[in-house]
Amino acid sequence: MEISGLISAIVIGAVVGALGRLALPGRQDIGWLWTIGVGIAAALVGTAVATALGVADTKGVDWIEWALQIGLAAAGVTALERLRSRS
């Protein structure tokens, strides 16, 4: 992966993490660095799932891929919040 790919993964991950966090009701008790980390992971996994389903490369905006990424980010933020609240 080139440096431009890494930078774009961080930026897209931050956006996906923030959107996933905003999709959840109430306040989440995790920091923004965790949110960005979850967003990066969700963006990568969401892209892999969209590629496996054959919906990653469409004409125009890849809405299904975005929905997968945001849904995975929301699930990741929820899981991380519950894991951190137990300790």
Side-chain angles (χ1 to χ4, degrees):
M1 177 180 278
E2 296 179 13
I3 189 70
S4 61
L6 183 62
I7 292 171
S8 65
I10 291 170
V11 170
I12 290 170
V15 170
V16 167
L19 289 173
R21 191 171 175 163
L22 288 173
L24 298 172
R27 179 175 166 85
Q28 291 78 41
D29 196 24
I30 64 170
W32 281 102
L33 288 178
W34 282 109
T35 301
I36 292 170
V38 168
I40 292 169
L44 294 172
V45 173
T47 300
V49 170
T51 301
L53 295 174
V55 295
D57 294 322
T58 60
K59 293 182 181 179
V61 179
D62 297 327
W63 294 109
I64 297 172
E65 184 177 3
W66 272 97
L68 285 169
Q69 291 172 340
I70 293 168
L72 287 169
V77 167
T78 301
L80 183 62
E81 181 182 27
R82 288 184 182 175
L83 192 109
R84 290 178 52 97
S85 68
R86 288 184 188 173
S87 19

